[in-house]
Amino acid sequence: QVQLVESGGGLVQAGGALRLSCAASGSIKSINKMAWYRQGPGWQRELLATISTSGSTNYADSVKGRFTISRDGAQNTVSLLMNSLKPEDTAVYYCNADGVVLTSGPGQYRFWGQGTQVTVSS
């Protein structure tokens, strides 16, 4: 019923910039919070940034000042603008929708995208 699709990943040199986008589709009534995570080789999945329906944002220390999360509520999309990229940013990036209310009825759910690869070369 619900699908999250990430896009915008690719190869970029250190110091460059990249914008990721995630679109949520399906029988969605509302989404309370959207977020970006990443998982690099040999690392556990890391929460990078969140944005609520009010527009309130939070960032991990590792990306604060470099990454910016934004949300398009009308299309249930979330973007991540990544600046000053470093080789250590290389990872698979995942979007997440939390507190999702479906058109089918009450209850809140959580959904994940399948991820998009970001590779930063030195």
Side-chain angles (χ1 to χ4, degrees):
Q1 290 183 341
V2 176
Q3 181 174 263
L4 274 64
V5 179
E6 300 99 335
S7 62
L11 276 64
V12 64
Q13 292 190 355
L18 207 60
R19 180 184 289 273
L20 306 182
S21 181
C22 174
S25 61
S27 303
I28 301 171
K29 186 176 182 179
S30 63
I31 301 175
N32 182 54
K33 182 182 295 183
M34 301 193 76
W36 283 97
Y37 291 73
R38 71 182 178 190
Q39 186 168 16
W43 298 81
Q44 65 179 0
R45 192 167 296 183
E46 174 189 18
L47 174 62
L48 301 177
T50 63
I51 184 166
S52 68
T53 54
S54 67
S56 178
T57 59
N58 286 282
Y59 296 92
D61 289 340
S62 60
V63 303
K64 190 175 298 180
R66 297 191 299 125
F67 291 10
T68 302
I69 188 171
S70 60
R71 182 176 178 176
D72 182 344
Q75 285 190 268
N76 291 321
T77 60
V78 61
S79 296
L80 186 69
L81 175 60
M82 305 181 294
N83 293 312
S84 302
L85 285 164
K86 308 173 182 178
E88 62 197 65
D89 293 320
T90 295
V92 177
Y93 285 70
Y94 300 88
C95 65
N96 172 266
D98 195 18
V100 180
V101 178
L102 305 178
T103 57
S104 59
Q108 297 186 46
Y109 302 88
R110 194 181 192 190
F111 296 96
W112 291 90
Q114 293 186 344
T116 184
Q117 177 70 48
V118 172
T119 302
V120 183
S121 62
S122 59

